[in-house]
Amino acid sequence: MHRKRVTLWVTLLTVVVLTLAGCAPRATGGQTAALPGADQLAVDLPAIVIDFDSAGQPSVGNVPLAQLGSMVMPGVLDAVVLPADTVAFMTESNIQHIQIDNSPSGLLILVNGQPIPSLRWDGEILSATAETLSQLGMGVPALEKLLPLVNHLGLGVIARFPAAEGVAAIPTFIESPPSAAASKAAQEEFLASVGEAPRIILPVIYDTDGGWRVGDLTDAEWVSLTGMPWDALRLQSGVIQGLMAANISEIAINTDASGIHIGINGRQLPYIGWADGEINHVLDLAGQMGLWNTLADSGMNMGEIVTMVERLLPVVQTAETSINVYFPTEMAAVRPTSS
């Protein structure tokens, strides 16, 4: 028994050493250790780098991932292998790496060193999420304790793909990316032209039968007036009863310059962030990966469409939109009406 334990610890130590040998700086490295209270709990590690070869076989620190996995979890990591054509597509599109980084501000996803829309949070949001899961009956005691601590875990992984011959290497993290500067400049230009950010407030009020109204008009009246199939938004009465049983009286969806926010009963959940040029980077990646050309093959004028999207983007990002969906409660509380 003693010999087995020694062998296990030696194996684990070997895996850790080999894994750390295949690490790289994490995009938000150091932020977790700088948090208040980090002396009580903080895990701030560099990112583990997984290199895929042209056949889709992964390795860490020049050691095949399957070999590392066989030391502690035989067969578990075999599924990490990628199809060779997927790797070839990444190389042809010059997608050199994808990074997933758990940080105090959220679970960030970076492609070629720049962020795309990702989950954002802080300690208060994580605590509210744990409370909401508990209210919905989805809470697990261990999870409720763990969620508020997630932003104290600074961990990350970088999937790296072969670069085409002669292509310059792209850093795994780009500070002050050009997409962020372009996004902020476009938003500032739009706000300067209109003076104030557009604002939309839309209360949607459901009844116990699953029907809804906006203002003084029911869903049937909206269908009659607009000819649009708004009645598809009706809910089954069983869904309404389930929400009432869970004491869910309001779901709010809001957008602003920082991203798309969702709240339940006033508790904010992790949101999708777009404040740092994430959507602009996605548009650039779409062109880089040939997605625009795919649409152009169907006869669409992609130059005009891309231009239109670029013009609409600062409007959408700066607009303050609030869609507040209210559900009946057992107390039959009075719902707000439009003025």
Side-chain angles (χ1 to χ4, degrees), residues 35-48:
L35 283 175
D39 56 331
Q40 299 179 5
L41 175 63
V43 177
D44 200 326
L45 301 177
I48 298 173

Side-chain angles (χ1 to χ4, degrees), residues 135-152:
Q135 182 177 351
L136 292 173
M138 301 167 58
V140 177
L143 182 62
E144 292 176 26
K145 294 180 179 180
L146 176 62
L147 270 179
L149 303 177
V150 166
N151 63 337
H152 286 263

Side-chain angles (χ1 to χ4, degrees), residues 249-338:
S249 59
E250 177 186 0
I251 296 178
I253 302 174
N254 307 300
T255 69
D256 56 23
S258 64
I260 304 174
H261 309 261
I262 298 178
I264 297 179
N265 285 5
R267 297 193 189 104
Q268 293 300 308
L269 304 181
Y271 65 95
I272 299 175
W274 63 24
D276 297 316
E278 289 90 342
I279 297 182
N280 298 69
H281 186 43
V282 168
L283 295 178
D284 292 339
L285 289 172
Q288 188 174 315
M289 299 170 74
L291 300 183
W292 297 131
N293 295 334
T294 301
L295 294 176
D297 291 341
S298 61
M300 303 175 69
N301 187 323
M302 293 318 303
E304 293 181 357
I305 291 180
V306 172
T307 299
M308 180 184 67
V309 171
E310 290 176 344
R311 289 178 178 175
L312 285 176
L313 195 54
V315 180
V316 173
Q317 289 185 284
T318 57
E320 297 177 1
T321 304
S322 298
I323 302 176
N324 301 310
V325 183
Y326 299 95
F327 302 103
T329 64
E330 294 180 353
M331 298 301 294
V334 177
R335 301 299 184 193
T337 58
S338 60

Side-chain angles (χ1 to χ4, degrees), residues 88-310:
F89 177 73
M90 292 295 189
T91 299
E92 293 167 3
S93 303
N94 195 29
I95 305 299
Q96 297 187 12
H97 38 72
I98 298 173
Q99 179 173 178
I100 301 176
D101 180 5
N102 189 74
S103 73
S105 59
L107 187 66
L108 308 181
I109 303 176
L110 302 96
V111 180
N112 282 0
Q114 298 186 57
I116 62 174
S118 310
L119 283 180
R120 300 279 185 163
W121 59 54
D122 56 26
E124 184 177 343
I125 287 177
L126 290 173
S127 296
T129 300
E131 294 173 4
T132 300
L133 290 175
S134 178
Q135 182 177 351
L136 292 173
M138 301 167 58
V140 177
L143 182 62
E144 292 176 26
K145 294 180 179 180
L146 176 62
L147 270 179
L149 303 177
V150 166
N151 63 337
H152 286 263
L153 305 176
L155 306 169
V157 62
I158 299 173
R160 199 159 54 186
F161 308 99
E165 186 176 352
V167 174
I170 300 173
T172 55
F173 176 57
I174 299 174
E175 292 192 47
S176 304
S179 57
S183 174
K184 291 179 180 178
Q187 291 180 43
E188 290 172 359
E189 181 180 355
F190 170 70
L191 287 175
S193 66
V194 298
E196 296 289 338
R199 189 176 185 189
I200 300 172
I201 300 176
L202 184 65
V204 181
I205 304 169
Y206 277 87
D207 59 31
T208 54
D209 295 327
W212 55 268
R213 62 184 174 86
V214 173
D216 293 327
L217 297 176
T218 65
D219 49 2
E221 290 171 326
W222 278 107
V223 171
S224 177
L225 285 172
T226 65
M228 301 292 289
W230 298 113
D231 52 344
L233 297 177
R234 290 182 64 92
L235 297 176
Q236 297 291 328
S237 59
V239 174
I240 298 295
Q241 293 298 322
L243 292 168
M244 292 172 62
N247 294 319
I248 303 300
S249 59
E250 177 186 0
I251 296 178
I253 302 174
N254 307 300
T255 69
D256 56 23
S258 64
I260 304 174
H261 309 261
I262 298 178
I264 297 179
N265 285 5
R267 297 193 189 104
Q268 293 300 308
L269 304 181
Y271 65 95
I272 299 175
W274 63 24
D276 297 316
E278 289 90 342
I279 297 182
N280 298 69
H281 186 43
V282 168
L283 295 178
D284 292 339
L285 289 172
Q288 188 174 315
M289 299 170 74
L291 300 183
W292 297 131
N293 295 334
T294 301
L295 294 176
D297 291 341
S298 61
M300 303 175 69
N301 187 323
M302 293 318 303
E304 293 181 357
I305 291 180
V306 172
T307 299
M308 180 184 67
V309 171
E310 290 176 344

